[in-house]
């Protein structure tokens, strides 16, 4: 015979919010936010805060990836340009390679 252990739910973790902002939403977005918050059983403000936080984190990560790629490309172009410029100047000044 298998007995189940009674498990108590994990304690709820509080999300600390340091600053409040005012956001204007369309009626449709507000209705969807309220519906989602009711389904999740949390305040609409909490759902909005989590959604904004997730969006910002993803956006920042995307921008960091893009900037990293651009930096890598510019470094590679810079190195190639530096070598070509050095070679061209050497030829003009008749310097040994």
């Amino acid at each position: 015979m298998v007995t189940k252990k009674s498990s108590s739910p994990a304690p709820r973790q509080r999300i600390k919010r340091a600053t409040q902002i005012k956001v204007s939403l369309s009626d449709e977005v507000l209705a969807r936010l309220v519906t989602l918050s009711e389904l999740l059983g949390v305040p609409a403000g909490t759902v909005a805060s989590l959604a904004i936080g997730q969006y910002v984190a993803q956006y920042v990560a995307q921008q960091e990836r893009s900037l990293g790629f651009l930096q890598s490309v510019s470094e590679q172009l810079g190195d190639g340009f530096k070598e070509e410029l050095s070679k061209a100047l050497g030829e003009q000044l008749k310097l040994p390679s």
Side-chain angles (χ1 to χ4, degrees):
M1 181 169 144
V2 177
T3 58
K4 290 186 180 180
K5 292 182 182 179
S6 63
S7 60
S8 58
R12 293 178 79 178
Q13 184 179 9
R14 295 203 43 94
I15 298 170
K16 289 187 176 184
R17 295 185 207 122
T19 306
Q20 292 182 347
I21 63 171
K22 184 176 179 177
V23 179
S24 298
L25 303 173
S26 68
D27 292 339
E28 178 185 355
V29 170
L30 178 59
R32 294 173 89 182
L33 177 64
V34 169
T35 299
L36 180 58
S37 72
E38 289 170 352
L39 288 170
L40 296 173
V42 296
T46 299
V47 176
S49 178
L50 291 171
I52 291 169
Q54 183 178 8
Y55 175 83
V56 169
Q58 289 176 353
Y59 181 79
V60 168
Q62 178 186 5
Q63 294 304 310
E64 288 172 342
R65 284 191 302 272
S66 295
L67 289 174
F69 172 75
L70 290 175
Q71 183 178 7
S72 174
V73 168
S74 66
E75 287 172 359
Q76 290 174 7
L77 289 174
D79 290 344
F81 179 72
K82 191 169 29 176
E83 290 172 17
E84 291 299 318
L85 181 61
S86 176
K87 187 183 345 178
L89 286 174
E91 289 173 4
Q92 289 292 323
L93 299 173
K94 305 289 189 232
L95 297 175
S97 302

